[in-house]
Amino acid sequence: MTSVIVVGAQWGDEGKGKITDYLAREADIVLRCQGGSNAGHTVVVGGVTHALHLIPCGILNPDTICVVGNGVVLDLKVALDEIKTLGEQGILCKNLVISEKAHLIMPYHYTMDEYQESLKGDNKIGTTKRGIGPAYMDKAARQGIRLLDLMEWQPFLEKLDYNLKEKNAVFANAGLPIIDEAAKHQIIEEYAAYREQIAPYVGETVYRVNEALADGKRLLFEGAQGSLLDIDHGTYPFVTSSNTVAAGSCIGVGIGPTKIDRVLGIAKSYCTRVGAGPFPTELEDETGEQIRQLGHEFGVTTGRPRRVGWFDSQVVRYSALVNGMTDLCITKLDILDTLPEIKVCTAYSYQGKVIDRMPSTLAHLAECTPIYETLPGWQADTTACRSFRELPTNAQKYILRLEELTGMPISIVAVGADRESTIVRKEMF
Ligand code: GDP
Ligand code: IMO
Ligand code: MG
């Protein structure tokens, strides 16, 4: 039995997609467990780029079973578009199973997301506007519509009725167009079509996944978002609406924590964040812009420029803690290839004291200033390196220093977007 959870160790976009695809070759099942199409996972194989939002990155291996778990909020339009695009690229989703317990994103969730953001004004979260928060709100309020409701149809119609009553009251009060009978009819038609198209992929997944585990199959959990975006452990309220940490993966597919062997955190060699919220090591200067351009730091889902900063060991240490991380992977080492020197945040200075903990409140976090250590760059191309020894000495030293500062063994280093641009120091399976 081997189960490996891949989680983002920062604020998302760490390269989870690339590493999941790399490890998927040795896995029997790859699973998405939480989040929805707010995720944008890029995988480059043989020069072809795939941007996946809902379908697990394991889909690029023809024999790998891919599961979209109960914890995911499912946008059927996005899922079906993705299946179609993959099909056009010759990638068939014959091994894709979507949990019937997954909750559906409905058109009114998009409107609510937009509306809630507009109400927040200057305090807006900067969501992906994909309806994620409102869909999880309905799930928690026990009024969400699940895929199994859609498949049965009558429960879908009843739950839609209830939800429209509630949403229309909010929309009318906000001066937004309500969903009238004609608009409701349109939703029903739209979802009737989705129902037919998605049917071949819908199934029971909890027994199936647990049976596979009992049969000694290898499971790879593809985390979405990052640990600092976790609804409980992230920089609340500037977070997403699901548990992005490793424990969330268990809930999101219905397996127990005793079944997990490794938790692999993914962190960039620097740090990025999209959307609003604290980011202690953010660089709002020329160096930040330089790294943004070198790293092509623009969102896969929204196209927004990502905020860029130095590697923050405090963030990754905290992330290691809340995930029970066993291994760390550093991606995008190559992006630092040309820099003469590189800074790393070792701790924070807070009210004149050095602290090595992340404060719980945003006001306290805002008062923290990073304490930096400056390391010499290597100013050499690392993209062709395939073993740790081939890396320039200063790049090796950088990785070893990050190991010391985070307290985590760095088992994988990525030096390029392509699948092959990967250095493995310790096998995961
Ligand atoms: P995810 O959401 O964690 O899967 O990450 P994204 O796909 O949103 O963003 C990571 C970006 O970096 C993608 O464009 C990847 O193709 C790219 N990438 C991942 N690892 C590396 C690497 O080691 N080097 C370079 N140059 N690009 C990488
Ligand atoms: P992947 O899986 C980076 C951020 C949004 C926003 C906050 C809340 O590609 O790493 P939401 O739409 O979820 O309600 O937005 O979370 N966010 C992400 N940032 N990568 C992601 O996914 C993200 N998914 C959500 O930018 O700040
Ligand atoms: Mg992403």
Side-chain angles (χ1 to χ4, degrees), residues 1-7 19-20 23 27 29-31 33 213 217-223 249 255 259-265 326-327 412 427-429:
M1 171 192 90
T2 316
S3 322
V4 180
I5 296 182
V6 168
V7 282
I19 298 300
T20 301
L23 296 174
I29 309 184
V30 179
L31 310 97
C33 320
L213 262 175
K217 302 283 189 219
R218 292 167 163 186
L219 267 56
L220 180 64
F221 300 82
E222 176 180 350
S249 301
I255 69 157
K259 303 284 191 261
I260 302 304
D261 298 305
R262 313 207 73 79
V263 177
L264 173 67
T326 57
D327 301 82
I412 303 177
E427 297 292 340
M428 288 297 106
F429 284 109

PDB file of all heavy atoms in Angstrom, residues 1-7 19-20 23 27 29-31 33 213 217-223 249 255 259-265 326-327 412 427-429:
ATOM      1  N   MET A   1       0.831  -1.203   0.000  1.00  0.00           N
ATOM      2  CA  MET A   1       0.000   0.000   0.000  1.00  0.00           C
ATOM      3  C   MET A   1       0.869   1.258   0.000  1.00  0.00           C
ATOM      4  O   MET A   1       1.780   1.367   0.788  1.00  0.00           O
ATOM      5  CB  MET A   1      -0.865   0.005   1.280  1.00  0.00           C
ATOM      6  CG  MET A   1      -1.610   1.291   1.505  1.00  0.00           C
ATOM      7  SD  MET A   1      -2.326   1.396   3.154  1.00  0.00           S
ATOM      8  CE  MET A   1      -1.012   2.154   4.079  1.00  0.00           C
ATOM      9  N   THR A   2       0.623   2.146  -0.925  1.00  0.00           N
ATOM     10  CA  THR A   2       1.305   3.434  -0.896  1.00  0.00           C
ATOM     11  C   THR A   2       0.346   4.528  -1.335  1.00  0.00           C
ATOM     12  O   THR A   2      -0.199   4.475  -2.426  1.00  0.00           O
ATOM     13  CB  THR A   2       2.536   3.463  -1.831  1.00  0.00           C
ATOM     14  OG1 THR A   2       3.263   2.257  -1.660  1.00  0.00           O
ATOM     15  CG2 THR A   2       3.427   4.644  -1.521  1.00  0.00           C
ATOM     16  N   SER A   3       0.140   5.486  -0.456  1.00  0.00           N
ATOM     17  CA  SER A   3      -0.685   6.638  -0.817  1.00  0.00           C
ATOM     18  C   SER A   3       0.128   7.896  -0.595  1.00  0.00           C
ATOM     19  O   SER A   3       0.667   8.096   0.489  1.00  0.00           O
ATOM     20  CB  SER A   3      -1.926   6.735   0.057  1.00  0.00           C
ATOM     21  OG  SER A   3      -2.435   5.465   0.320  1.00  0.00           O
ATOM     22  N   VAL A   4       0.190   8.703  -1.622  1.00  0.00           N
ATOM     23  CA  VAL A   4       0.961   9.950  -1.536  1.00  0.00           C
ATOM     24  C   VAL A   4       0.011  11.117  -1.769  1.00  0.00           C
ATOM     25  O   VAL A   4      -0.717  11.145  -2.768  1.00  0.00           O
ATOM     26  CB  VAL A   4       2.087   9.975  -2.601  1.00  0.00           C
ATOM     27  CG1 VAL A   4       2.876  11.274  -2.512  1.00  0.00           C
ATOM     28  CG2 VAL A   4       3.013   8.774  -2.444  1.00  0.00           C
ATOM     29  N   ILE A   5       0.041  12.058  -0.827  1.00  0.00           N
ATOM     30  CA  ILE A   5      -0.759  13.276  -1.012  1.00  0.00           C
ATOM     31  C   ILE A   5       0.171  14.392  -1.476  1.00  0.00           C
ATOM     32  O   ILE A   5       1.212  14.642  -0.856  1.00  0.00           O
ATOM     33  CB  ILE A   5      -1.451  13.696   0.308  1.00  0.00           C
ATOM     34  CG1 ILE A   5      -2.450  12.620   0.753  1.00  0.00           C
ATOM     35  CG2 ILE A   5      -2.150  15.038   0.143  1.00  0.00           C
ATOM     36  CD1 ILE A   5      -3.221  12.973   2.026  1.00  0.00           C
ATOM     37  N   VAL A   6      -0.216  15.055  -2.555  1.00  0.00           N
ATOM     38  CA  VAL A   6       0.516  16.235  -3.039  1.00  0.00           C
ATOM     39  C   VAL A   6      -0.257  17.468  -2.569  1.00  0.00           C
ATOM     40  O   VAL A   6      -1.451  17.578  -2.852  1.00  0.00           O
ATOM     41  CB  VAL A   6       0.600  16.204  -4.589  1.00  0.00           C
ATOM     42  CG1 VAL A   6       1.088  17.537  -5.138  1.00  0.00           C
ATOM     43  CG2 VAL A   6       1.492  15.064  -5.060  1.00  0.00           C
ATOM     44  N   VAL A   7       0.418  18.354  -1.845  1.00  0.00           N
ATOM     45  CA  VAL A   7      -0.261  19.581  -1.391  1.00  0.00           C
ATOM     46  C   VAL A   7       0.575  20.806  -1.724  1.00  0.00           C
ATOM     47  O   VAL A   7       1.810  20.750  -1.739  1.00  0.00           O
ATOM     48  CB  VAL A   7      -0.513  19.639   0.143  1.00  0.00           C
ATOM     49  CG1 VAL A   7      -1.694  18.804   0.549  1.00  0.00           C
ATOM     50  CG2 VAL A   7       0.715  19.301   0.945  1.00  0.00           C
ATOM     51  N   ILE A  19       4.086  18.157 -10.882  1.00  0.00           N
ATOM     52  CA  ILE A  19       4.623  17.072 -10.052  1.00  0.00           C
ATOM     53  C   ILE A  19       3.626  15.900  -9.993  1.00  0.00           C
ATOM     54  O   ILE A  19       4.029  14.739 -10.020  1.00  0.00           O
ATOM     55  CB  ILE A  19       4.981  17.606  -8.639  1.00  0.00           C
ATOM     56  CG1 ILE A  19       6.074  18.689  -8.757  1.00  0.00           C
ATOM     57  CG2 ILE A  19       5.410  16.484  -7.705  1.00  0.00           C
ATOM     58  CD1 ILE A  19       7.392  18.234  -9.404  1.00  0.00           C
ATOM     59  N   THR A  20       2.334  16.212  -9.963  1.00  0.00           N
ATOM     60  CA  THR A  20       1.336  15.131  -9.980  1.00  0.00           C
ATOM     61  C   THR A  20       1.478  14.325 -11.261  1.00  0.00           C
ATOM     62  O   THR A  20       1.482  13.092 -11.241  1.00  0.00           O
ATOM     63  CB  THR A  20      -0.092  15.710  -9.866  1.00  0.00           C
ATOM     64  OG1 THR A  20      -0.182  16.450  -8.651  1.00  0.00           O
ATOM     65  CG2 THR A  20      -1.152  14.613  -9.866  1.00  0.00           C
ATOM     66  N   LEU A  23       4.579  12.094 -11.056  1.00  0.00           N
ATOM     67  CA  LEU A  23       4.430  10.933 -10.166  1.00  0.00           C
ATOM     68  C   LEU A  23       3.329   9.981 -10.637  1.00  0.00           C
ATOM     69  O   LEU A  23       3.336   8.799 -10.291  1.00  0.00           O
ATOM     70  CB  LEU A  23       4.124  11.401  -8.736  1.00  0.00           C
ATOM     71  CG  LEU A  23       5.225  12.221  -8.047  1.00  0.00           C
ATOM     72  CD1 LEU A  23       4.726  12.740  -6.707  1.00  0.00           C
ATOM     73  CD2 LEU A  23       6.489  11.378  -7.861  1.00  0.00           C
ATOM     74  N   ALA A  27       1.499   5.700 -10.419  1.00  0.00           N
ATOM     75  CA  ALA A  27       0.298   5.541  -9.585  1.00  0.00           C
ATOM     76  C   ALA A  27      -0.778   4.780 -10.352  1.00  0.00           C
ATOM     77  O   ALA A  27      -0.802   4.792 -11.578  1.00  0.00           O
ATOM     78  CB  ALA A  27      -0.232   6.915  -9.187  1.00  0.00           C
ATOM     79  N   ILE A  29      -4.129   5.216  -9.318  1.00  0.00           N
ATOM     80  CA  ILE A  29      -5.279   6.129  -9.279  1.00  0.00           C
ATOM     81  C   ILE A  29      -4.799   7.532  -8.886  1.00  0.00           C
ATOM     82  O   ILE A  29      -4.005   7.678  -7.954  1.00  0.00           O
ATOM     83  CB  ILE A  29      -6.337   5.672  -8.237  1.00  0.00           C
ATOM     84  CG1 ILE A  29      -6.700   4.186  -8.450  1.00  0.00           C
ATOM     85  CG2 ILE A  29      -7.588   6.531  -8.303  1.00  0.00           C
ATOM     86  CD1 ILE A  29      -7.802   3.671  -7.552  1.00  0.00           C
ATOM     87  N   VAL A  30      -5.266   8.542  -9.594  1.00  0.00           N
ATOM     88  CA  VAL A  30      -4.980   9.934  -9.224  1.00  0.00           C
ATOM     89  C   VAL A  30      -6.306  10.591  -8.869  1.00  0.00           C
ATOM     90  O   VAL A  30      -7.291  10.437  -9.601  1.00  0.00           O
ATOM     91  CB  VAL A  30      -4.262  10.698 -10.365  1.00  0.00           C
ATOM     92  CG1 VAL A  30      -4.000  12.144  -9.970  1.00  0.00           C
ATOM     93  CG2 VAL A  30      -2.958  10.001 -10.726  1.00  0.00           C
ATOM     94  N   LEU A  31      -6.334  11.298  -7.746  1.00  0.00           N
ATOM     95  CA  LEU A  31      -7.611  11.816  -7.236  1.00  0.00           C
ATOM     96  C   LEU A  31      -7.574  13.316  -6.957  1.00  0.00           C
ATOM     97  O   LEU A  31      -6.624  13.809  -6.334  1.00  0.00           O
ATOM     98  CB  LEU A  31      -7.973  11.101  -5.918  1.00  0.00           C
ATOM     99  CG  LEU A  31      -7.917   9.578  -5.921  1.00  0.00           C
ATOM    100  CD1 LEU A  31      -6.576   9.105  -5.361  1.00  0.00           C
ATOM    101  CD2 LEU A  31      -9.033   8.981  -5.107  1.00  0.00           C
ATOM    102  N   CYS A  33      -9.581  16.061  -4.739  1.00  0.00           N
ATOM    103  CA  CYS A  33     -10.333  15.865  -3.501  1.00  0.00           C
ATOM    104  C   CYS A  33     -11.114  17.095  -3.043  1.00  0.00           C
ATOM    105  O   CYS A  33     -12.043  16.962  -2.246  1.00  0.00           O
ATOM    106  CB  CYS A  33      -9.365  15.491  -2.378  1.00  0.00           C
ATOM    107  SG  CYS A  33      -8.080  14.367  -2.908  1.00  0.00           S
ATOM    108  N   LEU A 213      -7.318   0.444  -2.484  1.00  0.00           N
ATOM    109  CA  LEU A 213      -6.297   0.514  -1.420  1.00  0.00           C
ATOM    110  C   LEU A 213      -6.056  -0.868  -0.828  1.00  0.00           C
ATOM    111  O   LEU A 213      -4.914  -1.294  -0.643  1.00  0.00           O
ATOM    112  CB  LEU A 213      -6.785   1.437  -0.305  1.00  0.00           C
ATOM    113  CG  LEU A 213      -6.294   2.872  -0.309  1.00  0.00           C
ATOM    114  CD1 LEU A 213      -6.972   3.649   0.793  1.00  0.00           C
ATOM    115  CD2 LEU A 213      -4.782   2.941  -0.148  1.00  0.00           C
ATOM    116  N   LYS A 217      -3.221  -1.074  -4.428  1.00  0.00           N
ATOM    117  CA  LYS A 217      -3.012  -0.110  -5.514  1.00  0.00           C
ATOM    118  C   LYS A 217      -2.373   1.168  -4.971  1.00  0.00           C
ATOM    119  O   LYS A 217      -2.517   1.498  -3.802  1.00  0.00           O
ATOM    120  CB  LYS A 217      -4.344   0.246  -6.180  1.00  0.00           C
ATOM    121  CG  LYS A 217      -5.078  -0.936  -6.751  1.00  0.00           C
ATOM    122  CD  LYS A 217      -4.469  -1.397  -8.053  1.00  0.00           C
ATOM    123  CE  LYS A 217      -5.327  -2.441  -8.722  1.00  0.00           C
ATOM    124  NZ  LYS A 217      -4.531  -3.496  -9.349  1.00  0.00           N
ATOM    125  N   ARG A 218      -1.689   1.877  -5.874  1.00  0.00           N
ATOM    126  CA  ARG A 218      -1.016   3.117  -5.482  1.00  0.00           C
ATOM    127  C   ARG A 218      -1.892   4.329  -5.775  1.00  0.00           C
ATOM    128  O   ARG A 218      -2.312   4.526  -6.912  1.00  0.00           O
ATOM    129  CB  ARG A 218       0.291   3.247  -6.245  1.00  0.00           C
ATOM    130  CG  ARG A 218       1.299   2.211  -5.823  1.00  0.00           C
ATOM    131  CD  ARG A 218       2.419   2.186  -6.814  1.00  0.00           C
ATOM    132  NE  ARG A 218       3.579   1.515  -6.254  1.00  0.00           N
ATOM    133  CZ  ARG A 218       4.749   1.451  -6.871  1.00  0.00           C
ATOM    134  NH1 ARG A 218       4.913   2.023  -8.046  1.00  0.00           N
ATOM    135  NH2 ARG A 218       5.766   0.836  -6.308  1.00  0.00           N
ATOM    136  N   LEU A 219      -2.108   5.116  -4.735  1.00  0.00           N
ATOM    137  CA  LEU A 219      -2.985   6.287  -4.855  1.00  0.00           C
ATOM    138  C   LEU A 219      -2.180   7.581  -4.779  1.00  0.00           C
ATOM    139  O   LEU A 219      -1.294   7.709  -3.923  1.00  0.00           O
ATOM    140  CB  LEU A 219      -4.018   6.286  -3.713  1.00  0.00           C
ATOM    141  CG  LEU A 219      -5.365   5.624  -4.004  1.00  0.00           C
ATOM    142  CD1 LEU A 219      -5.205   4.190  -4.467  1.00  0.00           C
ATOM    143  CD2 LEU A 219      -6.257   5.667  -2.778  1.00  0.00           C
ATOM    144  N   LEU A 220      -2.502   8.499  -5.654  1.00  0.00           N
ATOM    145  CA  LEU A 220      -1.842   9.808  -5.658  1.00  0.00           C
ATOM    146  C   LEU A 220      -2.917  10.881  -5.578  1.00  0.00           C
ATOM    147  O   LEU A 220      -3.786  10.961  -6.454  1.00  0.00           O
ATOM    148  CB  LEU A 220      -1.031   9.953  -6.957  1.00  0.00           C
ATOM    149  CG  LEU A 220      -0.267  11.251  -7.161  1.00  0.00           C
ATOM    150  CD1 LEU A 220       0.820  11.433  -6.108  1.00  0.00           C
ATOM    151  CD2 LEU A 220       0.364  11.280  -8.559  1.00  0.00           C
ATOM    152  N   PHE A 221      -2.886  11.664  -4.508  1.00  0.00           N
ATOM    153  CA  PHE A 221      -3.909  12.692  -4.288  1.00  0.00           C
ATOM    154  C   PHE A 221      -3.369  14.022  -4.780  1.00  0.00           C
ATOM    155  O   PHE A 221      -2.327  14.475  -4.315  1.00  0.00           O
ATOM    156  CB  PHE A 221      -4.249  12.790  -2.794  1.00  0.00           C
ATOM    157  CG  PHE A 221      -4.780  11.499  -2.237  1.00  0.00           C
ATOM    158  CD1 PHE A 221      -3.925  10.482  -1.850  1.00  0.00           C
ATOM    159  CD2 PHE A 221      -6.144  11.299  -2.118  1.00  0.00           C
ATOM    160  CE1 PHE A 221      -4.414   9.283  -1.346  1.00  0.00           C
ATOM    161  CE2 PHE A 221      -6.649  10.114  -1.615  1.00  0.00           C
ATOM    162  CZ  PHE A 221      -5.782   9.097  -1.232  1.00  0.00           C
ATOM    163  N   GLU A 222      -4.099  14.633  -5.701  1.00  0.00           N
ATOM    164  CA  GLU A 222      -3.659  15.900  -6.301  1.00  0.00           C
ATOM    165  C   GLU A 222      -4.301  17.062  -5.569  1.00  0.00           C
ATOM    166  O   GLU A 222      -5.459  17.390  -5.798  1.00  0.00           O
ATOM    167  CB  GLU A 222      -4.060  15.910  -7.784  1.00  0.00           C
ATOM    168  CG  GLU A 222      -3.761  17.196  -8.507  1.00  0.00           C
ATOM    169  CD  GLU A 222      -4.182  17.130  -9.984  1.00  0.00           C
ATOM    170  OE1 GLU A 222      -4.526  16.029 -10.467  1.00  0.00           O
ATOM    171  OE2 GLU A 222      -4.159  18.176 -10.624  1.00  0.00           O
ATOM    172  N   GLY A 223      -3.562  17.657  -4.663  1.00  0.00           N
ATOM    173  CA  GLY A 223      -4.105  18.794  -3.927  1.00  0.00           C
ATOM    174  C   GLY A 223      -4.399  19.951  -4.862  1.00  0.00           C
ATOM    175  O   GLY A 223      -3.840  20.044  -5.955  1.00  0.00           O
ATOM    176  N   SER A 249      -7.753  15.991   1.924  1.00  0.00           N
ATOM    177  CA  SER A 249      -7.743  14.989   0.851  1.00  0.00           C
ATOM    178  C   SER A 249      -8.459  13.722   1.297  1.00  0.00           C
ATOM    179  O   SER A 249      -9.138  13.072   0.503  1.00  0.00           O
ATOM    180  CB  SER A 249      -6.306  14.629   0.454  1.00  0.00           C
ATOM    181  OG  SER A 249      -5.640  15.773   0.037  1.00  0.00           O
ATOM    182  N   ILE A 255     -11.420   8.394   2.531  1.00  0.00           N
ATOM    183  CA  ILE A 255     -10.523   7.377   3.103  1.00  0.00           C
ATOM    184  C   ILE A 255     -10.013   7.891   4.450  1.00  0.00           C
ATOM    185  O   ILE A 255     -10.031   9.093   4.709  1.00  0.00           O
ATOM    186  CB  ILE A 255      -9.325   7.010   2.188  1.00  0.00           C
ATOM    187  CG1 ILE A 255      -8.343   8.177   2.089  1.00  0.00           C
ATOM    188  CG2 ILE A 255      -9.775   6.554   0.816  1.00  0.00           C
ATOM    189  CD1 ILE A 255      -6.979   7.713   1.702  1.00  0.00           C
ATOM    190  N   LYS A 259      -4.469   5.635   6.252  1.00  0.00           N
ATOM    191  CA  LYS A 259      -4.102   5.036   4.957  1.00  0.00           C
ATOM    192  C   LYS A 259      -3.037   5.849   4.205  1.00  0.00           C
ATOM    193  O   LYS A 259      -2.645   5.482   3.104  1.00  0.00           O
ATOM    194  CB  LYS A 259      -5.348   4.925   4.058  1.00  0.00           C
ATOM    195  CG  LYS A 259      -6.483   4.135   4.664  1.00  0.00           C
ATOM    196  CD  LYS A 259      -6.194   2.640   4.611  1.00  0.00           C
ATOM    197  CE  LYS A 259      -7.409   1.807   4.952  1.00  0.00           C
ATOM    198  NZ  LYS A 259      -7.397   1.354   6.340  1.00  0.00           N
ATOM    199  N   ILE A 260      -2.618   6.941   4.787  1.00  0.00           N
ATOM    200  CA  ILE A 260      -1.683   7.824   4.071  1.00  0.00           C
ATOM    201  C   ILE A 260      -0.227   7.508   4.438  1.00  0.00           C
ATOM    202  O   ILE A 260       0.119   7.417   5.618  1.00  0.00           O
ATOM    203  CB  ILE A 260      -1.991   9.311   4.399  1.00  0.00           C
ATOM    204  CG1 ILE A 260      -3.432   9.660   4.019  1.00  0.00           C
ATOM    205  CG2 ILE A 260      -1.002  10.256   3.706  1.00  0.00           C
ATOM    206  CD1 ILE A 260      -3.802   9.402   2.573  1.00  0.00           C
ATOM    207  N   ASP A 261       0.619   7.348   3.438  1.00  0.00           N
ATOM    208  CA  ASP A 261       2.035   7.062   3.689  1.00  0.00           C
ATOM    209  C   ASP A 261       2.920   8.302   3.611  1.00  0.00           C
ATOM    210  O   ASP A 261       3.849   8.448   4.392  1.00  0.00           O
ATOM    211  CB  ASP A 261       2.544   6.033   2.667  1.00  0.00           C
ATOM    212  CG  ASP A 261       1.797   4.727   2.807  1.00  0.00           C
ATOM    213  OD1 ASP A 261       1.781   4.187   3.917  1.00  0.00           O
ATOM    214  OD2 ASP A 261       1.194   4.290   1.811  1.00  0.00           O
ATOM    215  N   ARG A 262       2.687   9.144   2.617  1.00  0.00           N
ATOM    216  CA  ARG A 262       3.547  10.309   2.459  1.00  0.00           C
ATOM    217  C   ARG A 262       2.713  11.542   2.143  1.00  0.00           C
ATOM    218  O   ARG A 262       1.695  11.453   1.448  1.00  0.00           O
ATOM    219  CB  ARG A 262       4.528  10.134   1.282  1.00  0.00           C
ATOM    220  CG  ARG A 262       5.267   8.825   1.203  1.00  0.00           C
ATOM    221  CD  ARG A 262       6.593   9.002   0.489  1.00  0.00           C
ATOM    222  NE  ARG A 262       7.524   9.695   1.355  1.00  0.00           N
ATOM    223  CZ  ARG A 262       8.194   9.109   2.344  1.00  0.00           C
ATOM    224  NH1 ARG A 262       8.040   7.825   2.588  1.00  0.00           N
ATOM    225  NH2 ARG A 262       9.007   9.802   3.093  1.00  0.00           N
ATOM    226  N   VAL A 263       3.187  12.665   2.642  1.00  0.00           N
ATOM    227  CA  VAL A 263       2.588  13.950   2.272  1.00  0.00           C
ATOM    228  C   VAL A 263       3.700  14.802   1.668  1.00  0.00           C
ATOM    229  O   VAL A 263       4.663  15.172   2.355  1.00  0.00           O
ATOM    230  CB  VAL A 263       1.951  14.660   3.489  1.00  0.00           C
ATOM    231  CG1 VAL A 263       1.418  16.030   3.074  1.00  0.00           C
ATOM    232  CG2 VAL A 263       0.821  13.820   4.091  1.00  0.00           C
ATOM    233  N   LEU A 264       3.579  15.040   0.381  1.00  0.00           N
ATOM    234  CA  LEU A 264       4.602  15.788  -0.352  1.00  0.00           C
ATOM    235  C   LEU A 264       4.139  17.232  -0.549  1.00  0.00           C
ATOM    236  O   LEU A 264       3.172  17.480  -1.271  1.00  0.00           O
ATOM    237  CB  LEU A 264       4.836  15.116  -1.723  1.00  0.00           C
ATOM    238  CG  LEU A 264       5.751  15.832  -2.708  1.00  0.00           C
ATOM    239  CD1 LEU A 264       7.201  15.867  -2.210  1.00  0.00           C
ATOM    240  CD2 LEU A 264       5.693  15.167  -4.097  1.00  0.00           C
ATOM    241  N   GLY A 265       4.814  18.149   0.112  1.00  0.00           N
ATOM    242  CA  GLY A 265       4.496  19.576  -0.051  1.00  0.00           C
ATOM    243  C   GLY A 265       5.229  20.105  -1.268  1.00  0.00           C
ATOM    244  O   GLY A 265       6.383  19.746  -1.509  1.00  0.00           O
ATOM    245  N   THR A 326       5.866  15.003   4.946  1.00  0.00           N
ATOM    246  CA  THR A 326       7.026  14.114   5.093  1.00  0.00           C
ATOM    247  C   THR A 326       8.152  14.502   4.139  1.00  0.00           C
ATOM    248  O   THR A 326       9.311  14.197   4.394  1.00  0.00           O
ATOM    249  CB  THR A 326       6.645  12.645   4.796  1.00  0.00           C
ATOM    250  OG1 THR A 326       6.100  12.582   3.463  1.00  0.00           O
ATOM    251  CG2 THR A 326       5.610  12.120   5.780  1.00  0.00           C
ATOM    252  N   ASP A 327       7.796  15.148   3.033  1.00  0.00           N
ATOM    253  CA  ASP A 327       8.777  15.495   2.002  1.00  0.00           C
ATOM    254  C   ASP A 327       8.413  16.840   1.396  1.00  0.00           C
ATOM    255  O   ASP A 327       7.239  17.208   1.372  1.00  0.00           O
ATOM    256  CB  ASP A 327       8.773  14.472   0.853  1.00  0.00           C
ATOM    257  CG  ASP A 327       9.087  13.072   1.334  1.00  0.00           C
ATOM    258  OD1 ASP A 327       8.159  12.394   1.830  1.00  0.00           O
ATOM    259  OD2 ASP A 327      10.264  12.673   1.223  1.00  0.00           O
ATOM    260  N   ILE A 412      12.380  16.206  -4.171  1.00  0.00           N
ATOM    261  CA  ILE A 412      12.262  16.458  -5.620  1.00  0.00           C
ATOM    262  C   ILE A 412      12.595  17.930  -5.885  1.00  0.00           C
ATOM    263  O   ILE A 412      12.221  18.805  -5.099  1.00  0.00           O
ATOM    264  CB  ILE A 412      10.829  16.151  -6.127  1.00  0.00           C
ATOM    265  CG1 ILE A 412      10.438  14.690  -5.806  1.00  0.00           C
ATOM    266  CG2 ILE A 412      10.696  16.425  -7.626  1.00  0.00           C
ATOM    267  CD1 ILE A 412       9.007  14.310  -6.201  1.00  0.00           C
ATOM    268  N   GLU A 427      12.591   8.532  -4.114  1.00  0.00           N
ATOM    269  CA  GLU A 427      11.373   8.075  -4.793  1.00  0.00           C
ATOM    270  C   GLU A 427      10.187   8.188  -3.842  1.00  0.00           C
ATOM    271  O   GLU A 427      10.319   7.935  -2.642  1.00  0.00           O
ATOM    272  CB  GLU A 427      11.524   6.610  -5.233  1.00  0.00           C
ATOM    273  CG  GLU A 427      12.636   6.356  -6.245  1.00  0.00           C
ATOM    274  CD  GLU A 427      12.376   6.977  -7.617  1.00  0.00           C
ATOM    275  OE1 GLU A 427      11.200   7.277  -7.906  1.00  0.00           O
ATOM    276  OE2 GLU A 427      13.348   7.166  -8.370  1.00  0.00           O
ATOM    277  N   MET A 428       9.039   8.535  -4.381  1.00  0.00           N
ATOM    278  CA  MET A 428       7.823   8.668  -3.555  1.00  0.00           C
ATOM    279  C   MET A 428       7.059   7.353  -3.445  1.00  0.00           C
ATOM    280  O   MET A 428       6.383   7.099  -2.463  1.00  0.00           O
ATOM    281  CB  MET A 428       6.895   9.736  -4.135  1.00  0.00           C
ATOM    282  CG  MET A 428       7.372  11.156  -3.976  1.00  0.00           C
ATOM    283  SD  MET A 428       7.517  11.665  -2.248  1.00  0.00           S
ATOM    284  CE  MET A 428       9.280  11.633  -2.076  1.00  0.00           C
ATOM    285  N   PHE A 429       7.116   6.536  -4.485  1.00  0.00           N
ATOM    286  CA  PHE A 429       6.395   5.250  -4.442  1.00  0.00           C
ATOM    287  C   PHE A 429       7.377   4.104  -4.250  1.00  0.00           C
ATOM    288  O   PHE A 429       8.497   4.165  -4.742  1.00  0.00           O
ATOM    289  CB  PHE A 429       5.591   5.039  -5.731  1.00  0.00           C
ATOM    290  CG  PHE A 429       4.327   5.855  -5.788  1.00  0.00           C
ATOM    291  CD1 PHE A 429       4.225   6.922  -6.665  1.00  0.00           C
ATOM    292  CD2 PHE A 429       3.247   5.566  -4.964  1.00  0.00           C
ATOM    293  CE1 PHE A 429       3.052   7.675  -6.721  1.00  0.00           C
ATOM    294  CE2 PHE A 429       2.079   6.322  -5.024  1.00  0.00           C
ATOM    295  CZ  PHE A 429       1.984   7.368  -5.902  1.00  0.00           C
TER     296      PHE A 429
END
